[in-house]
């Protein structure tokens, strides 16, 4: 449904997006992650035909955004980051106007507006002027606008930006519900949201695509798991225990309190050394009070990809994309 | 043309609910009413030919100020406001052609501007009854003059749209349009006055004559004469500036 190939966008001397390529298939919900200023909005603006690409190409539902812009725009429902809506129009009037502008036939317009308002949960502010609704409702009015022509693709740019936790939860729920009927690309820099809602994530940083894949898969492949064992022993005893265990590396031991020490070590991919470590502890007469393998978090992965320099990026894309 | 029609309706509604339009209307009519009363008194006291009254009412200062200032003020919002608030992004990413948006916005401004003028016809009509003049005033020149006024205003409004597409500053957009209106109304005459051997320069003379909007208006439309070359000039101006506005908007897509 969305195909981006070697897309670059330059603003004067600044290269905002650098040879980005990805595809989004029908029915996918893809999170577009990146720190502020990473190039998310610029990429989205090229996809929505607001800006032209400097080089490369992008197509929406088979229509090139540069040469077949009108048809491409017909296939998109777009929620921009700042949700610019006309403050003097009532919510229902605004949605009627947008439906008409998007070519929804007059006879279907009332039903289309009603359906969009119900999906975005803005029915209770339908008669209010857009300028008088809260930030959360404003965001949902923008979402209703994106939905009003029932496009197959939704592109949502930071749909939860500036919202309180309750409003964020509502928007996430709405996006989750929409996922059954639409292909969704939504950008965010809030990791938990992306993890909750999307089946796949794209990470962009400094204009380049750093990662592409399912969140769990990306996290597992890009960051190491950690083994942690705590027992009534000295740090040196714990370190001795770790020596020679297959799949453990970078072991270090620290004292937890007067009697216990903790062993922390990286675990190699595809290996589970916890049984081995447990058996060694018992054999040495040490009773473990804690023995677990910690999975890396998306946050750690994101930090690694966006702050870890090009090395981390190469690891991630090379392994997953 | 669906996009143009939808934009036209929305924009016209915005003008009708906006206080700016009504403030212009109220100020214009208070002033116009005062001027018309003075003019009527002048005709009555001096026993001037009443057939000339309708035509003479176009020479009133309010006419020129309306033509000079109002197109820029009405159109300053068209695109500058959309840029300022960011709604240009939702507008330009909707499946509608840039040209349709431009035509819709210009059309709404033109219709609202015309609505501002229409009650002045009623004033003329009322003045024809007792206890005012008590004679039928000549409406032939009125129709021609209104047509000329709409054509000229249409061109100035089209330039106003263009000025508004260049910036996100409403005041700057209005100022640009007003400067253009002022230049169009006064520059050709001033240039002509400054050229010593204008009689020998055929092309310069012709060009200045074509662009001397104020003189052409006085020579043709206000006398009840409709010259097709004048009509073509204004219609061409409308098309030209709407085209420039569309190019200005679309340039974002080709940057």
């Amino acid at each position: 449904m969305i195909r981006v190939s070697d897309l670059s966008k330059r603003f004067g001397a600044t290269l905002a997006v650098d040879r980005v390529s990805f595809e989004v298939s029908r029915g996918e919900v893809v999170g577009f992650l990146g720190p502020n200023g990473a190039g998310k909005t610029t990429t989205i603006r090229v996809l929505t035909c607001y800006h032209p690409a400097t080089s490369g190409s992008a197509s929406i539902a088979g229509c090139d955004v540069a040469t077949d812009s009108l048809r491409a725009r017909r296939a998109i429902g777009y929620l921009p980051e700042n949700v610019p809506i006309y403050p003097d129009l009532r919510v229902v009037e605004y949605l009627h106007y947008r439906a008409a502008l998007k070519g929804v036939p007059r006879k279907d317009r009332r039903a289309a507006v009603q359906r969009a308002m119900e999906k975005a949960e803005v029915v209770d502010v339908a008669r209010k002027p857009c300028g008088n609704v809260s930030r959360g409702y404003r965001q949902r009015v923008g979402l209703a606008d994106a939905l009003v022509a029932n496009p197959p693709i939704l592109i949502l740019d930071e749909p939860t930006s500036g919202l309180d936790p309750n409003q964020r939860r509502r928007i996430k729920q709405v996006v989750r519900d929409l996922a059954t009927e639409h292909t969704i690309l939504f950008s965010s820099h809030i990791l938990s949201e992306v993890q909750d809602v999307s089946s796949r994530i794209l990470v962009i940083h400094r204009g380049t695509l750093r990662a592409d894949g399912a969140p769990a898969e990306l996290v597992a492949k890009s960051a190491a798991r950690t083994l942690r064992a705590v027992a009534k022993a000295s740090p040196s005893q714990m370190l001795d225990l770790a020596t020679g265990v297959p799949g453990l590396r970078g072991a270090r031991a620290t004292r937890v309190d007067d009697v216990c020490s903790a062993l922390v070590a990286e675990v190699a991919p595809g290996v589970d050394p916890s049984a081995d470590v447990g058996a060694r502890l018992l054999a040495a007469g040490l009773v473990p009070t804690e023995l677990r393998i910690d999975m890396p978090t998306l946050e750690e992965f994101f930090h690694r990809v966006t702050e870890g320099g090009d090395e981390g990026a190469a690891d991630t894309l090379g392994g997953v994309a | 043309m669906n996009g143009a029609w939808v934009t036209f309706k929305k924009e016209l509604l915005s003008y009708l609910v906006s206080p700016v339009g009504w403030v212009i209307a109220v100020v214009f009519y208070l002033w116009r009413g005062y001027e018309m009363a003075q003019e009527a008194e002048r005709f009555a006291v001096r026993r001037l030919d009443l057939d000339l009254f309708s035509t003479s009412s176009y020479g009133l200062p309010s006419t020129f100020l309306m033509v000079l200032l109002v197109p820029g003020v009405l159109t300053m919002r068209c695109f500058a406001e959309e840029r300022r608030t960011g709604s240009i992004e939702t507008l330009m990413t909707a499946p509608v052609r840039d040209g349709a948006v431009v035509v819709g916005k210009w059309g709404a401004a033109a219709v609202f501007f015309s609505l501002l003028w229409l009650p002045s016809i009623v004033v003329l009509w009322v003045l024809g009854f007792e206890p005012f003049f008590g004679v039928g005033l000549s409406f032939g020149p009125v129709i021609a003059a209104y047509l000329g006024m709409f054509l000229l205003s249409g061109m100035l409004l089209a330039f106003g749209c263009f000025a508004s597409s260049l910036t996100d500053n409403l005041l700057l957009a209005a100022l640009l349009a007003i400067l253009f209106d002022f230049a169009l109304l006064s520059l050709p005459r001033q240039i002509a006055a400054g050229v010593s051997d204008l009689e020998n320069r055929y092309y310069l003379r012709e060009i200045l004559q074509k662009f001397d909007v104020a003189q052409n208006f006085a020579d043709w439309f206000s006398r009840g004469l409709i010259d097709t070359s004048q009509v073509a000039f204004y219609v061409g101006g409308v098309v030209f500036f709407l085209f420039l506005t569309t190019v200005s908007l679309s340039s974002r897509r080709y940057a």
Side-chain angles (χ1 to χ4, degrees):
Chain A
M1 292 296 269
I2 302 175
R3 183 190 292 260
V4 175
S5 175
D6 273 335
L7 185 86
S8 295
K9 176 66 188 173
R10 185 179 281 281
F11 293 104
T14 310
L15 187 59
V17 177
D18 185 12
R19 285 169 296 150
V20 164
S21 299
F22 63 85
E23 284 184 24
V24 179
S25 310
R26 186 183 296 273
E28 266 193 305
V29 180
V30 175
F32 199 26
L33 266 176
N36 291 328
K40 303 187 294 289
T41 298
T42 305
T43 307
I44 281 177
R45 282 181 170 172
V46 173
L47 287 176
T48 54
C49 315
Y50 186 67
H51 281 321
T54 305
S55 64
S57 64
S59 66
I60 298 285
C63 309
D64 190 281
V65 296
T67 58
D68 200 1
S69 156
L70 262 187
R71 281 178 60 204
R73 280 181 275 163
R74 261 187 214 114
I76 300 172
Y78 175 40
L79 171 69
E81 185 177 355
N82 295 319
V83 199
I85 46 182
Y86 302 113
D88 48 346
L89 291 182
R90 293 174 195 278
V91 168
V92 68
E93 290 167 347
Y94 174 69
L95 293 174
H96 267 280
Y97 159 65
R98 294 291 297 173
L101 199 64
K102 292 176 181 185
V104 176
R106 178 186 283 272
K107 61 181 172 53
D108 302 332
R109 224 171 277 162
R110 187 183 291 269
V113 168
Q114 187 61 30
R115 192 193 62 241
M117 287 200 300
E118 281 167 9
K119 278 187 177 177
E121 301 179 4
V122 291
V123 176
D124 45 340
V125 293
R127 306 292 305 164
K128 271 194 175 182
C130 292
N132 290 359
V133 300
S134 68
R135 168 91 192 175
Y137 270 115
R138 188 184 168 83
Q139 211 80 7
R140 279 187 269 161
V141 171
L143 194 59
D145 169 23
L147 289 168
V148 78
N150 200 23
I153 298 169
L154 293 176
I155 297 183
L156 316 175
D157 192 4
E158 306 265 6
T160 58
S161 127
L163 301 186
D164 68 35
N166 289 336
Q167 291 170 331
R168 279 218 295 269
R169 186 176 297 178
R170 286 187 85 89
I171 288 277
K172 272 196 301 189
Q173 188 54 48
V174 171
V175 172
R176 230 178 265 133
D177 294 344
L178 292 172
T180 54
E181 295 172 37
H182 304 268
T183 301
I184 302 176
L185 174 70
F186 84 99
S187 80
S188 179
H189 58 269
I190 301 171
L191 304 176
S192 57
E193 264 163 28
V194 178
Q195 203 164 18
D196 284 356
V197 176
S198 47
S199 52
R200 184 177 142 216
I201 59 172
L202 305 168
V203 182
I204 189 169
H205 181 50
R206 291 184 190 149
T208 57
L209 196 66
R210 302 290 178 109
D212 179 352
E217 193 184 327
L218 281 179
V219 168
K221 286 195 177 177
S222 70
R225 294 169 298 156
T226 318
L227 177 131
R228 180 180 163 85
V230 179
K232 284 182 182 174
S234 67
S236 57
Q237 276 178 300
M238 295 298 276
L239 271 181
D240 289 345
L241 269 171
T243 311
V245 176
L248 275 192
R249 59 190 178 204
R252 58 195 186 279
T254 51
R255 190 166 281 287
V256 177
D257 54 32
D258 289 345
V259 290
C260 293
S261 296
L263 169 74
V264 179
E266 263 188 31
V267 178
V271 183
D272 184 359
S274 54
D276 200 355
V277 171
R280 285 180 179 225
L281 280 169
L282 292 173
L286 303 171
V287 181
T289 56
E290 189 180 326
L291 178 58
R292 66 166 198 261
I293 291 182
D294 290 330
M295 295 301 288
T297 63
L298 187 60
E299 209 161 299
E300 284 164 351
F301 160 75
F302 183 75
H303 179 75
R304 186 183 149 96
V305 168
T306 57
E307 299 290 329
D310 294 336
E311 204 178 306
D315 285 356
T316 317
L317 263 181
V320 179
Chain B
M1 285 315 282
N2 172 61
W5 176 239
V6 172
T7 309
F8 168 81
K9 282 194 295 183
K10 186 254 166 197
E11 290 296 316
L12 189 59
L13 182 72
S14 295
Y15 282 121
L16 293 174
V17 298
S18 145
V20 175
W22 295 111
V23 168
I24 291 172
V26 168
V27 170
F28 174 59
Y29 278 107
L30 282 176
W31 186 17
R32 187 89 181 162
Y34 174 76
E35 278 185 342
M36 291 288 260
Q38 295 287 310
E39 192 71 354
E41 195 178 321
R42 189 170 74 90
F43 266 72
V45 170
R46 295 187 186 176
R47 297 178 184 280
L48 297 175
D49 183 358
L50 286 176
D51 275 351
L52 297 175
F53 182 78
S54 307
T55 308
S56 143
S57 66
Y58 287 100
L60 298 174
S62 59
T63 307
F64 289 100
L65 219 68
M66 186 81 168
V67 172
L68 185 68
L69 297 181
V70 175
V73 174
L74 279 186
T75 51
M76 67 181 179
R77 288 172 57 250
C78 282
F79 296 101
E81 176 87 344
E82 303 262 14
R83 276 179 195 271
R84 194 177 62 79
T85 60
S87 53
I88 191 89
E89 194 174 347
T90 44
L91 185 62
M92 295 289 101
T93 54
V96 56
R97 289 183 195 282
D98 296 351
V101 173
V102 170
V103 168
K105 281 183 179 270
W106 170 82
V111 167
F112 188 74
F113 190 80
S114 306
L115 289 177
L116 288 179
W117 273 101
L118 283 184
S120 65
I121 299 180
V122 180
V123 173
L124 280 179
W125 183 66
V126 168
L127 282 174
F129 288 107
E130 295 287 357
F132 303 107
F133 296 134
V135 292
L137 293 171
S138 171
F139 271 78
V142 174
I143 291 165
Y146 271 92
L147 176 69
M149 181 68 69
F150 292 149
L151 286 169
L152 171 61
S153 312
M155 186 169 80
L156 300 182
L157 288 165
F159 182 84
C161 286
F162 173 57
S164 181
S165 75
L166 298 175
T167 175
D168 60 359
N169 186 319
L170 271 68
L171 281 178
L172 185 61
L175 196 68
L176 271 175
I178 291 167
L179 280 175
F180 172 80
D181 299 354
F182 180 73
L184 193 68
L185 290 173
S186 65
L187 269 188
R189 193 174 294 184
Q190 288 187 9
I191 294 172
V195 178
S196 53
D197 57 342
L198 191 63
E199 287 306 312
N200 301 328
R201 300 183 181 197
Y202 175 77
Y203 289 110
L204 180 64
R205 195 179 66 229
E206 283 295 308
I207 289 170
L208 287 175
Q209 217 166 45
K210 284 288 172 212
F211 279 85
D212 191 350
V213 169
Q215 190 58 47
N216 289 336
F217 199 84
D219 289 349
W220 295 91
F221 290 114
S222 67
R223 289 185 185 173
L225 302 169
I226 298 171
D227 174 18
T228 47
S229 75
Q230 294 283 316
V231 174
F233 174 79
Y234 292 119
V235 171
V238 169
V239 173
F240 177 67
F241 287 123
L242 291 186
F243 171 73
L244 283 188
T245 313
T246 309
V247 170
S248 163
L249 275 187
S250 304
S251 63
R252 189 198 64 258
R253 289 209 175 95
Y254 308 111

